[in-house]
Each structure stands twice: as C-alpha cells, then as structure tokens.
Amino acid sequence: NYTKLGSVLEDFSKHGIKPHRLTFELVLTGFLRNHDLKRARNIMAAMDSAGFRPDASTFARVLPAYRGLGTDHYVQGKARENLLVGPGPVLKKMFNGLLRLYLDRRDLDAAFRLLDQFGSKTTLKSSSTVADDGRSVIDHETLADSATYTMLIDYLAKHRHFHSLNNILDRARKSKGVLDAGFAAALIRMYYSL
C-alpha cells in the first residue's frame, strides 16, 4: 500500500534498524512510481544525510521508475555521468533504462547518440574466471547487450525505420555478447513487420 511507504524510515528508526542504501532506493522508486516528487526529493535528501550519495545503482533503479514522469535532464545527465563508473550489470541496466527513455519519447537521434557514445564501452563482467595457473582472468563485456538490441529492433520495426535496422543488426552481429531468445523473438517480430 502506497500510503504506508512514507513511514518506512520512521518504522526503521522506531525499531533501531539503520536503513541501507537499498532501503532508500526502494522507497525512492516507490514514490517515483506513484508520481510523488516531493517525497522522492525528501528521500534523496535523507539518503544523502545518511551518507549514501546517489551512485550508479541509485540511477539504475530511478530510471525505470522515472519513465512515467517523462524525461528530466538532471536525472538523464546524472545517469550518463554514472555510466562511466560502477559494476557492469548496474551499468547495463542504467544504459538500457536511458535508451528506453529516449525511445519512449521517440527521440531516435538521442538513442543512437547514446549507443554510439556508450554502447561499445567495455565493463567488467559480473563474474570472472580463473586461468589454469590460478591467476584471475578479468572478462570484459560491452554495455550494449541482447536486451539493448532487442529493444532497438522492436522499436525500429514497430515504427517502420527499416533503414536503421541494418545498422542495428550489424552491431548485434559484431557484438561479443550472447544474443538470447528475446533477441530471436525480436528478429521474428521484425520479419513479420516487413
């Protein structure tokens, strides 16, 4: 129930529990999903006061929740700044969240600029491997992943931007990521939209 969301931090305090970053981020996304910007700002201030400055994980959670409110240049700017640091899975979520924001507002130029600027940026994989001699092998992967290409193919096919589809299909083919069943389904949907 949304009405109880505002008292979560008070309840934590009442029971002597110190909230973690995740607690603040979940309350923040709850307020954003319910279009309560005033309380969202208050949570951001409380989060900062508790020593949790917004970082890549914060913006990765905020972006999908913020979609219903439209685009905000401050949020987008902070998310883009944070695409330069952070763990790979968080960066991928944030990258795809930004891409979705641009596609939702039908700003294909901004989506392609984002893809050109950050899509081939490499990040550390969430898991690394160990070589036969016991040394750690750090694997890298690009921000543009199967979800990125699935989202773009679906959008381009739906809006009949066939001239851009070849570019995206070529990028997907050259990507080092694993293209999954969702990507295959997007290809089928694309084929039937032709």
Side-chain angles (χ1 to χ4, degrees), residues 109-172:
D109 289 336
F112 281 135
R113 280 193 306 273
L114 181 73
L115 186 63
D116 289 341
Q117 185 177 3
F118 294 105
S120 60
K121 179 187 179 308
T122 58
T123 65
L124 295 178
K125 274 191 172 178
S126 54
S127 61
S128 58
T129 57
V130 178
D132 291 336
D133 62 3
R135 289 181 298 134
S136 290
V137 177
I138 299 174
D139 293 327
H140 289 81
E141 57 191 355
T142 61
L143 285 181
D145 60 3
S146 185
T148 306
Y149 294 117
T150 300
M151 192 181 340
L152 284 166
I153 289 169
D154 280 340
Y155 178 88
L156 294 170
K158 178 181 177 183
H159 295 283
R160 307 189 66 75
H161 291 280
F162 300 124
H163 60 281
S164 299
L165 273 168
N166 280 337
N167 177 329
I168 295 303
L169 290 170
D170 191 49
R171 285 180 186 234

Side-chain angles (χ1 to χ4, degrees), residues 19-56:
H20 296 281
R21 172 182 296 281
L22 179 59
T23 307
F24 286 106
E25 289 174 352
L26 292 174
V27 172
L28 174 63
T29 58
F31 286 138
L32 289 173
R33 285 193 178 110
N34 286 284
H35 301 236
D36 192 340
L37 292 179
K38 182 179 179 188
R39 288 172 129 184
R41 276 190 225 106
N42 292 342
I43 287 297
M44 289 289 285
M47 185 176 166
D48 197 32
S49 295
F52 300 110
R53 302 214 15 98
D55 65 1

